[in-house]
Amino acid sequence: MIAAVEAAAQLQVPTLIVVDYAENVGPVVAELLDTIAECDAGKSVRLLLLARTDADWFRELAVDHRLHDWVHPTPMRLGALSEAWDGERIGHAWATSIDLFTERARQHGFAVPGRVAAVPPARFATTLDLYATALVAVLDAANGSEHVDPVDGDALAGVLRHEHRQVSVALRAAGLHLNEVQQAWALSAVTLTVPATQAEAVDIVSRIFALIEIGQPQQRRLVEVLCRLYPDGSRERVWQAPKPDRLADINLLELAMRTPSQRQWLNELIAVCGGDDAGAAGYATEVLHRCLSTPDPAEMRREGLALVRSGLAGLLDHCPGVYVSALVVVDPAGFESEIVDVVSGSRGGVGLTVAQVRELDALLHLLGFATTRTGVAVAVSQRLVEATRVADGNEPELLDRYAVELTNLSIRLAEIGRRHDGLAAVEEAVAVYWELVEVEPGTYLPKLAASLTNMSVDLAAVGRYEEGLTAAEKAVAVRRLLVEVDQAVHVPSLASSLNNLAICLDGLGRGDESWAAVDEATAILRELAEVDPVSYLPDLAKSLTNLSIGLGLMGRHDERVAAAVEAVAIRRKLAEANRAAHLPSLAKALHNLAVGLYSADRPVEGLAVAVESAAVHRELIEAGRAVYLPNFGASLNTLAVSMCVVGRLEEGLAVAEEAIAVHRELVEANPAAYLPVLVQLLNLLSNILNRLDRAGEARVAKREADRLSAL
């Protein structure tokens, strides 16, 4: 899929990439988004994600991913086709299906009588259920049995029954006589494993307790039959699971329910899927996890679903080295408590070695931040902190490793809202680095500065602003010392520390000092951008916008406009190179400039920029990036005010009405944040209407504003 994105970008061909079972490959989808941005393919490539559930995996994309604004925040839920299709359309689809399945069945030697006398089901959830019911009707007719509508609409169970019948025929022809449970486990081996050779497949079959008794010669013969019945078209493995996937999933669920005990079910799963092959564990995890989302409206398989979940948890306990990583990728939130217990060692059993925990930590860093993985990440850091804890006087390298793990722990604790615990960890890290600086200042001063910055952020977050400012000032002081030693290496970090210092100063109401810090950071970034524009222009634009806002708060409006103009110029340049990636930042910069021009009493220029700001925000909304609806509403608000100031009342009225419509939608989702803005807009609307001599409508708007403000 990555190659498809790169090819589409190079050829500039409109491309739709469909990802099925997206809930199992969230990190792959995240990588696709990154590739689309890197290739500037936002205009030509679209992703269609198909999934049975929009649980935690979707949040990683729509909320946590750096390009989350590219993902529509509300998934489209597909209803039952039986509700959308009329009787004539259902009848046509049914008759066509019966005819096609009859023809195919006869081609395969089934004696299907002249015309299958069956009527379409009264209800069906998907086209798969409709077609499965038609197939069962044809197969029932071929076997001379009367077709009965599937119980609770479960047509796939009927297809599975016929599947087992055909497998049994093939096995008997090969001299194999398996009972129903043995045959179901054989089919499950095909579903859950990916052997590259028949020898590997025989080894898998020989481990299944239900099949041990048939002996090696028959096990080899069984594998030969299964490879013939379920060949893999790619030739990368000797067999492929039955299609459609729900057929294989239902076989697993029914087999789980037929197994005498949970312990026996788990033992069989371990026999089939256990081992230390990470690729095999990842595949089995995807299959079992997919099985958990099998539709079960009548709750006929509730016990089976529970057993499959407990089976995954059991595999995690028995083979943690491979299944922890697999579940962290596929469903970290759904199995968080089990994963955390394995990582921390509190669950008993095999557990993870420190080396395996380090590998898991590296995987978490590779996957990037996601709220669904924060609990696991904290457990990993806690384990590594304990593993690296050292006594006083140990080697600097060991103390450094300990401080690194403390820093990671503090960041991860902050991500789950445990700021006080995170602060304790980073304070200890800072203490370690002060100790190390006394021994090797050249090596450890940069790490001390970074830890001081982290500590200042955590101190401010828990309301200890003065202490946070002290830490930020120390970080800047350390960065200045480092710049004196090696300017090229440490100047970028000085700019970052200065911006953090500005935030701390601003939080304490020390605006002049805050502006001075931002101004210095901006000057540094401007110099860096001249040498390396690709790396530093975005940071310079961001710093200029912050500087512009700070100047405005100080009443220095002309200087504010100058900084905002420069920020917009940079954002335009970046958007020309990669519009999809930089358009959101350009929209924000334009809006800031429009507000600055209005504050500087330059309404005509401000109106022109406000028009462009609203147009760019509208482009983002129309591209499906609904996360920018609040910013779009704000840009419309600014545009409406700007039009009124220059006397374009009729146009201002239309824009104000659209802004009100947007904010009504926003209020439904978050009244606390957007109701005051809606009241402000209604008052603006009332004012415009009065100026247009439409007093009656103005009173209506004013009454609504008063009513809402009283809520």
Side-chain angles (χ1 to χ4, degrees), residues 23 56-57 289 292 326-336 339 372:
E23 68 269 32
D56 302 298
W57 72 273
H289 187 260
L292 289 176
L327 279 168
V328 162
V329 171
V330 172
D331 192 4
F335 287 83
E336 180 178 302
I339 296 171
T372 55

Side-chain angles (χ1 to χ4, degrees), residues 501-520:
L501 175 62
I503 293 170
C504 293
L505 288 164
D506 190 58
L508 289 168
R510 293 161 64 173
D512 289 346
E513 295 168 87
S514 174
W515 168 83
V518 175
D519 188 45
E520 184 180 357

Side-chain angles (χ1 to χ4, degrees), residues 20 45 64 87 195 281 292 296 354 377 399 410 452 464 484 523 544 710:
D20 204 1
V45 178
D64 299 330
L292 289 176
D296 187 33
V354 173
L399 285 170
S410 72
L452 284 166
R464 294 162 61 179
E484 291 178 4
L544 283 164

